[in-house]
Amino acid sequence: MTDIGFDGKVAIITGAGGGLGRQHALELARRGARLVINDLGGSVNGEGGNVGPAQSVVQEIIDLGGEAVADGNSVATSEGGKAIVQTAVEAFGTVDIIVNNAGILRDKSFHNLDQQMIEAVIQVHLLGAFYVTQPAFQIMREKGYGRIVSTSSNSGLLGNFGQANYGAAKMGLVGLTNVLAIEGRKFNIKANAIAPVAATRMTEGLFEGVVEKMDPALVSPLVAYLASEACEPTGEIFSAAGGLIARMFVGLTPGYFNPSLTAEDVAAHLSDIRDEEGYIVPFDNTDEIKKIIRIISPQ
Ligand code: NAI
């Protein structure tokens, strides 16, 4: 097995002033990456901000003998995204890796969500990933290399009460990842998503009895692999928690076909339609369309 190393590759990790992002940063730094430690430094709700948390992670990395610079811009604006990438270019001349990790919470049941709660969460998680990744993607295309790791969540992939804003933003990141994987393919740019579970300030009080097992540092080996040259998959989603790594995916069942389909047929064949036996995992929409055409128009 080859060791995963970064050989001076330049990584931007957003929201790396604490929690998961800090662990990803330390892991990549130990393996030789040069880092931009971005963090707005606000509360878990996204209020306030200072560059202190980012600076203290930079200091930790320097103490380890690594290279890092702090960046206090917000991912939530297009100017902020450009400025974060500019920090990498000014400090290290390029960018090879983006880890979209910055995030906030504004939890409320759907009927109680106000516009501000909806927009703030989508702004940071989903639009933030656009704002940071787009200027970096341009550089990656030109150099023919890039790795993008975006932080999704089981709250979006599977759902969680009180997190309509967060869940929608996190599932949006899966859509973004799918398209970046397709558009990046011929430039050796790989894009994958992770769905972590870890004890951080964001999940305080949630994992009583297993807090120690939910060490955020145990998510970082997955990020290091997906951010490395060795990474094979693209356009995939991986769950990571306490050292357990698994693939999550959108699958397609073989389904039920009837060229004169009625609503009654749908009702009568629901169990065939939903039968998971023999499902496939299409890579992109062309894959699915080919399968459809093979069945509805075999010649
Ligand atoms: P955290 O609150 O410690 O980390 C989030 C970081 O993002 C904070 O340091 C915060 O200052 C920073 N941030 C917030 N808004 C920002 C902005 N506009 N610009 C730049 N930085 C900003 O929480 P945690 O758990 O480490 O979260 C990291 C990521 O993992 C988030 O995207 C979160 O949604 C995701 N996640 C975490 C899970 C968990 O179990 N802890 C579960 C699923 C997803």
Side-chain angles (χ1 to χ4, degrees):
M1 211 189 328
T2 50
D3 284 344
I4 306 290
F6 289 94
D7 195 23
K9 289 254 180 337
V10 177
I12 294 172
I13 305 186
T14 68
L20 284 158
R22 170 175 164 269
Q23 294 297 344
H24 304 336
L26 293 172
E27 180 74 30
L28 264 61
R30 274 194 288 266
R31 292 172 180 274
R34 293 177 291 165
L35 286 132
V36 172
I37 305 300
N38 159 263
D39 206 294
L40 185 61
S43 71
V44 84
N45 292 328
E47 276 140 13
N50 74 90
V51 78
Q55 275 165 346
S56 85
V57 174
V58 166
Q59 194 55 51
E60 279 186 85
I61 291 171
I62 291 168
D63 292 346
L64 283 169
E67 274 185 83
V69 293
D71 179 289
N73 287 291
S74 171
V75 300
T77 65
S78 142
E79 299 70 46
K82 282 188 202 132
I84 294 166
V85 174
Q86 194 52 32
T87 298
V89 172
E90 273 165 24
F92 305 121
T94 190
V95 58
D96 303 287
I97 297 158
I98 296 284
V99 180
N100 289 309
N101 168 80
I104 61 167
L105 290 180
R106 300 272 167 97
D107 292 359
K108 269 269 190 284
S109 50
F110 183 60
H111 66 286
N112 286 321
L113 271 179
D114 65 30
Q115 190 179 345
Q116 207 278 332
M117 290 166 161
I118 298 168
E119 289 179 2
V121 167
I122 292 175
Q123 199 83 32
V124 174
H125 292 275
L126 182 56
L127 299 186
F130 274 84
Y131 297 144
V132 177
T133 308
Q134 211 178 24
F137 198 74
Q138 196 58 40
I139 295 170
M140 291 172 176
R141 274 173 54 104
E142 279 159 21
K143 69 198 283 183
Y145 184 83
R147 297 287 182 263
I148 299 157
V149 182
S150 295
T151 311
S152 183
S153 167
N154 54 15
S155 296
L157 287 151
L158 304 171
N160 190 27
F161 192 96
Q163 293 199 308
N165 49 358
Y166 180 82
K170 289 306 203 186
M171 205 57 197
L173 285 169
V174 172
L176 174 63
T177 297
N178 287 336
V179 176
L180 293 183
I182 294 163
E183 294 188 7
R185 204 142 56 152
K186 72 171 188 230
F187 302 100
N188 190 17
I189 300 171
K190 297 196 174 186
N192 291 285
I194 63 164
V197 181
T200 65
R201 69 176 191 172
M202 199 179 261
T203 54
E204 219 176 317
L206 285 186
F207 305 125
E208 253 157 60
V210 284
V211 171
E212 269 109 74
K213 303 275 183 195
M214 292 289 189
D215 185 349
L218 286 169
V219 175
S220 303
L222 171 67
V223 172
Y225 171 73
L226 295 175
S228 75
E229 220 164 325
C231 171
E232 283 179 23
T234 191
E236 297 194 12
I237 312 160
F238 297 91
S239 149
L244 176 65
I245 306 287
R247 183 181 176 197
M248 296 177 97
F249 50 81
V250 175
L252 190 68
T253 65
Y256 163 76
F257 172 56
N258 180 341
S260 38
L261 189 73
T262 65
E264 288 72 23
D265 291 327
V266 176
H269 292 275
L270 203 54
S271 59
D272 300 321
I273 294 165
R274 300 174 78 202
D275 186 359
E276 291 169 21
E277 185 77 38
Y279 72 82
I280 60 164
V281 184
F283 175 71
D284 58 12
N285 77 345
T286 311
D287 248 12
E288 191 211 358
I289 292 164
K290 278 192 198 147
K291 185 216 155 180
I292 294 170
I293 292 172
R294 261 200 315 275
I295 293 170
I296 68 172
S297 180
Q299 62 287 43

